[in-house]
Structures are given as C-alpha cells and as structure tokens.
Amino acid sequence: MATFVDRVVLHATGGDGGHGCASIHREKFKPLAGPDGGNGGNGGSVILEVDPQVTTLLPFHHLPHRHAPSGTQGMGDHRSGSTGEDLVLGVPDGTVVKSPDGTVLTDLVGAGARYVVAAGGRGGLGNAALASPRRKAPGFALLGEPGEQADVVLELKTIADVALVGFPSAGKSSLVAAISAARPKIADYPFTTLVPNLGVVQAGDARYTVADVPGLIPGASQGRGLGLEFLRHIERCSVVVHVLDCATLEPDRDPVTDLDVIEAELAAYAEDLETAANGVPLAQRPRVVVLNKIDVPEARELAELVRPELEARGLPVFEISTASHEGLRTLTFALAERVGSARREAPAPEPTRVVLRPRAVDESGFTVTRREGGGQVWFAIRGEKPERWVRQTDFANDEAVGYLADRLARAGVEEALFKAGAVAGDEVRIGPDHNSVVFDWEPTLLTGSELLGGPRGTDVRLEDRARPTRGQKRREYTERMDAKAAARAELWTEREQGVWTDPDA
C-alpha cells in the first residue's frame, strides 16, 4: 500500500444551487398579499488550502472524487434555502495545481494559501425577488445553477533548503538520519529509499531542512529509475549537496565520474523548468560535495586523492562518515552558512496585486456566430449571461420562457442576430455544442411584460392565437358542404337499390 504520494488527479465538483420558490402568500382577509417565494441557497465550493499538518497527497489518492454540498430550495413566506458549506481540502505546503494539459493554475506556498478548484452554483431567485411593477405576481422562479466540475493535477514539490543528490546507496538517508531526528529506512541494497525523506537540522541558532532525493541514476531525466518521479523535489532548494560514495565496489565508478553523471542529469532536468526558486536557476545554485564513508581506509585514501581535483573546480569539499559521525559538525555549520546567505539574498515577497479588468463600454458580453455543418445552418450564441439565463430557466413553465425572451431581447441578442444575417425560422443555439438549447427564432414575437395578461405560469406569446382569414373560412365552408352532399348522394343510392335491412337477419 502506498504511504507517500506526490502526484494525483483530483476530480472536484461544486455544489448545486437550490431552486427558487414560486409561492403566493395566502392569508384570511388578504386576497392580494403578493408573491412570497424565497431564493435558493448557493452551493458550496471545493477549496484547496495549505495545511502544515499535511505532508502527503495520499488522501486524494484513495478518494480522488470530491463533491461539495448543494444548497437547498427556497420556500414560501420569504424563506431562503440554506447555503452549502465549502469543502476545504488540506494540502501540503508546496503543492502545485495544474490543468490536465499541464498549465500551472496556482502554486500554493505558505500556510493558509487557498485556491478555489470548483465554485458552487448560485441559487435561483424566488418569485418574490422577480416581482416588478409590471409583473406583480410572477408564476415562476429561477432554477439553481449546477456547480462547476474541474479535473486538476496536484503535484507536491518539497520545500527544503538543502537537497541531497547522488547514486543509490551513496549514504544520503544515513546522512539525514545522522544530522537530524528523521529515521528513514536504511539498508545495503540499491533503491532502499523509495520516497523523499525530510529532516530538520539545528546548527547553532540556524535551523534548516534537508531533503533526500532517491533514485538518481544515469538517464534519470529521461525516466530511468526513480529520479524522474522525485526530481521535482529539488526545484525549491537553496543548496545542492552531492553525496559521493568513496567505498563503492563497482569497478566503473569513482567520485568524480559520479559527480559528472549527476550534474549532467540535473542540467538536463533544469532545461524543462519554467520557474526558478528564489529567482536563481537550478544550475546556478550553490554546490557542495560530500565524500562519504571515510571510515573505510580505502575510501579515505580515495577521498584524499580526488579532493584536489574537486576543489580545482571551485567546489567546497567535506569528508565525512555517517557511521562514525566524523566531519558532520563542520558540514552542518557550513550548510547553515550557505542557507542563511541564500535566504538573505532572496528577494522580498511582493504583495499580491489586485488586478481590476473593467468591461469595455462597447462589450456586449456575448457573441453570435453563423455556423454551417452537415448541410445545416445555425447561429451559435455564447456568453456568460445568456448561458446562465438558460440554465436558470424552467422550460416547463411558459411564463419563465417568456421571461427568458425578455432578458435576451433587453441584452441585445435579437439585434445581434439581425446583424449576423439571421431570418425568421433560422435555428439558434445557446450554449456549448455538446449541451445547448436549440429553438427556431421568431423575431416578430412581441416582448415586454406589460403585454402579459394571462394567468400565472402562462405567456400569451407562446399560444397559438392566429385568426383564420376570409379565404380560409370560405374554403372550410365549401369543404363541409361538399362532404354533406357526398354523404346525401351515398344514402340516396343505397335507397334506390333497396338495401334496407340485412337479408340474413
């Protein structure tokens, strides 16, 4: 069973908004009390929040589908529905939220950082809120909007000051256990460490964190071993520490070759990075070389042999032994000095700017596009307001459909259809292609609630009230007279033939 997960796919769904209520207040001696339907409650949102107590994305691995509570329906007597509570999901510090195509949506750093993954739907208005001087008692209410659905990828990038890199079994986990209180699994076979290990080091007054990145081998940046899975954990570090094994038994390996191989893998991985921690690219961050296992006599001799060559490259070199703890104190204080220097040189965090993007004066908020396909022509209407109004409309209620027509006309949709070349009877679709409302456009329909005189829940514009013309009446009269003459002729023919009764009776 997995115990550490640093990449998951989250399927989040916001709560649906509650429907509005269509109700008329009824009380003795108050026949004209008016509408009293309440509004529906808003649905809850799915929110990611950085929680310092959470260190892994394992809960999302077991439960990837999360749904926020929905709002309840409004009721009569001006009682609004209850609002669904937001579903707040705790994530580790350093979680990156991406879209399925890899676009970075947000980077959650710092306790309390939040991001709304799927917003809840708005509740529908009751008929009390829809009443106006011209429509005094609406017989309909607006429906609640469905909550948003979003699929996001969560990636955990460990926030550590020092990253330990090196070949398997080089002593990285042993070094973390020797200089901190962490107790990772340690064994004498490759790929013992399957997950990154974190440790907190106290060197005098300085405190910093150390991360052990497992599984770096030649070709790790192309997916070999475990390096590609965990190289993201070194993106935020300030200092890179190369832990080199001076007591390896493999004949084709030595400390200098190991250093060159790991540096080549880091350089290949750094080419794909779009951001840099503290504004410093990965290739330009301070390097420290640690020659490990000098408690072995042959390893100490090899360390003394390769140290001048490494120092000639401008790299600080430290000879240590995690078994005897030789050289660890000097190493921890040297790392604390470099971490402190990186923290002082890091730019101060800038406050989040509030960006206001007012709508242009000539922006209508929707688009009308003429489309063709399969020998058919239609006009597609896309926009936040028209699509939201369609979702809120109860198409089983004629008065609600008439209210939708009034809203679209006031927004200028009819004028835009005229400009796009639409004529009476053309097909119009509002919404996305896979889920749109389709109707035949009739521009001659009168709009305006002052023309509504029918009972509640109806709209005279949707009723067939066409009067027949004089020619149609004359044709209907002629057809009835011809039908009567034909019936009389058939009866007279039967009478002349003497067919009066059934001979078998």
Side-chain angles (χ1 to χ4, degrees), residues 4-264:
F4 179 85
V5 176
D6 62 347
R7 188 182 187 278
V8 295
V9 178
L10 175 64
H11 309 277
T13 305
D16 299 334
H19 300 329
C21 177
S23 173
I24 301 298
H25 185 71
R26 303 183 185 277
E27 188 177 350
K28 191 176 181 180
F29 306 122
K30 291 185 179 181
L32 301 177
D36 65 346
N39 303 332
N42 297 331
S45 302
V46 180
I47 302 175
L48 299 178
E49 182 178 6
V50 174
D51 187 354
Q53 303 300 324
V54 180
T55 58
T56 179
L57 299 176
L58 186 61
F60 304 102
H61 173 72
H62 296 302
L63 296 175
H65 297 269
R66 302 299 178 95
H67 195 296
S70 300
T72 60
Q73 184 175 356
M75 294 170 285
D77 199 14
H78 301 281
R79 291 176 294 175
S80 299
S82 60
T83 301
E85 295 184 1
D86 294 336
L87 180 60
V88 181
L89 306 175
V91 295
D93 194 3
T95 301
V96 179
V97 184
K98 296 182 178 180
S99 61
D101 59 358
T103 304
V104 178
L105 302 177
T106 185
D107 193 354
L108 299 176
V109 178
R114 282 190 163 202
Y115 177 72
V116 179
V117 178
R122 283 183 283 189
L125 297 179
N127 64 343
L130 298 174
S132 64
R134 294 180 177 178
R135 183 182 274 108
K136 298 182 182 298
F140 68 98
L142 299 184
L143 303 180
E145 296 184 59
E148 293 182 356
Q149 296 182 357
D151 298 336
V152 294
V153 179
L154 305 182
E155 289 187 357
L156 175 60
K157 297 181 180 179
T158 304
I159 298 181
D161 300 304
V162 178
L164 305 181
V165 296
F167 273 71
S169 299
K172 300 184 296 297
S173 299
S174 301
L175 179 58
V176 172
I179 62 179
S180 69
R183 292 296 176 263
K185 180 181 179 181
I186 300 173
D188 58 351
Y189 55 87
F191 297 108
T192 305
T193 305
L194 300 179
V195 299
N197 298 310
L198 274 179
V200 179
V201 181
Q202 186 75 35
D205 296 334
R207 175 178 293 184
Y208 55 92
T209 57
V210 178
D212 165 22
V213 182
L216 283 182
I217 61 174
S221 59
Q222 284 76 36
R224 293 190 60 191
L226 301 177
L228 185 62
E229 295 295 329
F230 300 113
L231 273 173
R232 69 173 68 96
H233 294 277
I234 69 172
E235 294 181 16
R236 305 181 190 273
C237 68
S238 302
V239 181
V240 178
V241 176
H242 287 274
V243 181
L244 305 179
D245 186 3
C246 294
T248 179
L249 300 178
E250 299 181 23
D252 56 344
R253 281 182 52 193
D254 61 84
V256 178
T257 304
D258 291 354
L259 175 64
D260 296 337
V261 170
I262 299 302
E263 278 293 331

Side-chain angles (χ1 to χ4, degrees), residues 273-340:
L273 293 182
E274 300 179 357
T275 59
N278 298 333
V280 180
L282 181 61
Q284 301 178 11
R285 296 176 202 172
R287 257 60 168 178
V288 174
V289 175
V290 172
L291 302 176
N292 193 16
K293 303 181 182 179
I294 62 173
D295 55 297
V296 180
E298 293 81 0
R300 185 182 296 272
E301 295 178 1
L302 181 60
E304 295 176 354
L305 181 64
V306 301
R307 179 166 187 162
E309 181 178 355
L310 297 176
E311 291 179 344
R313 299 185 181 185
L315 298 174
V317 181
F318 298 88
E319 300 178 9
I320 67 165
S321 171
T322 57
S324 62
H325 288 201
E326 181 181 351
L328 293 184
R329 180 177 176 84
T330 305
L331 174 63
T332 56
F333 278 89
L335 293 179
E337 181 181 355
R338 286 167 174 78
V339 170

Side-chain angles (χ1 to χ4, degrees), residues 135 140 398-410 414 442 444-454 458-465:
R135 183 182 274 108
F140 68 98
D398 291 344
E399 189 178 357
V401 177
Y403 180 71
L404 172 63
D406 295 339
R407 302 176 84 177
L408 294 176
R410 286 193 298 267
E414 187 166 328
E442 294 293 343
T444 57
L445 284 178
L446 299 177
T447 59
S449 57
E450 69 277 3
L451 302 176
L452 304 179
T458 63
D459 194 301
V460 296
R461 294 169 293 173
L462 302 180
E463 299 179 4
D464 188 7
R465 293 176 175 267

